[in-house]
Amino acid sequence: MAKQIKIALGGGCHWCTEAVFQSLKGVEHVEQGYISSIDENNSFSEAVIVHFNAHLISLQTLIQIHLHTHKSTSAHSMRNKYRSAIYTYSKEQRKEAERLLNDFQSEFENKLITKVYPFSKFKASREAIQNYYRKNPEKPFCERFINPKLELILEKFSNHV
């Protein structure tokens, strides 16, 4: 039986993040919405929950793709709405995510600002905007923001698409 695991990821717009992870082999389901952590990070931020088959795609690959498909080194003014984050479901997953972030730093010229947080709560997006790219691939937003991310993963991570 396939081992399904989940990880939650936040970066830019959740329409973009959803489309990126929906395009990957081994990703079985993506929930788009808003995620909060605990303490000072308890406000909701746009993010997705990625349910994946660990036999087909690794957490390492998902985190690497995540870092390359949003502004993971930019501390822009919208970071409360678009927290650059990996939300974990266990202490073991948190340790692995922190180690992977360290390992991937060498792939970036600037310092990664992505943080690892414990997952706390999820609120799904309203139905009308779920699966946004699949419903609206020709919309200007999709062409301008999502297509370049999908082109990047085809170029850099084609064996996972």
Side-chain angles (χ1 to χ4, degrees):
M1 182 166 198
K3 183 179 180 190
Q4 189 186 49
I5 302 174
K6 62 184 176 178
I7 189 79
L9 303 165
C13 168
H14 52 199
W15 296 349
C16 297
T17 311
E18 176 187 58
V20 163
F21 291 101
Q22 284 178 332
S23 71
L24 301 176
K25 288 187 277 190
V27 171
E28 297 176 350
H29 180 60
V30 179
E31 296 178 79
Q32 180 209 111
Y34 306 87
I35 293 178
S36 68
S37 184
I38 59 172
D39 302 327
E40 69 274 5
N41 298 298
N42 67 355
S43 62
F44 282 95
S45 184
E46 291 192 19
V48 296
I49 300 173
V50 178
H51 300 261
F52 64 100
N53 180 330
H55 296 300
L56 300 176
I57 192 165
S58 67
L59 181 62
Q60 176 178 344
T61 298
L62 292 171
I63 289 175
Q64 184 179 30
I65 289 170
H66 179 56
L67 295 173
H68 283 279
T69 55
H70 80 282
K71 294 179 179 173
S72 59
T73 60
S74 173
H76 57 74
S77 63
M78 297 293 288
R79 277 294 170 216
N80 283 341
K81 182 177 181 182
Y82 305 119
R83 192 178 294 131
S84 182
I86 301 166
Y87 300 94
T88 58
Y89 291 87
S90 69
K91 286 180 183 171
E92 296 78 24
Q93 194 179 53
R94 181 183 177 108
K95 283 180 188 172
E96 184 178 2
E98 288 171 344
R99 181 187 59 77
L100 290 167
L101 270 180
N102 258 351
D103 292 350
F104 289 132
Q105 179 59 62
S106 64
E107 296 182 15
F108 296 87
E109 189 175 318
N110 297 318
K111 183 165 176 34
L112 289 168
I113 63 157
T114 307
K115 301 286 188 228
V116 179
Y117 301 112
F119 174 90
S120 179
K121 294 180 187 140
F122 175 74
K123 287 192 309 190
S125 296
R126 65 186 192 281
E127 179 62 38
I129 63 169
Q130 290 179 23
N131 297 302
Y132 189 82
Y133 184 78
R134 288 184 175 170
K135 293 175 185 172
N136 306 285
E138 70 295 331
K139 290 241 175 160
F141 180 91
C142 295
E143 291 178 354
R144 181 166 180 209
F145 295 105
I146 299 175
N147 284 347
K149 293 173 191 299
L150 297 177
E151 289 166 12
L152 181 135
I153 60 173
L154 275 174
E155 181 184 311
K156 285 188 142 192
F157 305 99
S158 61
N159 55 327
H160 296 290
V161 178

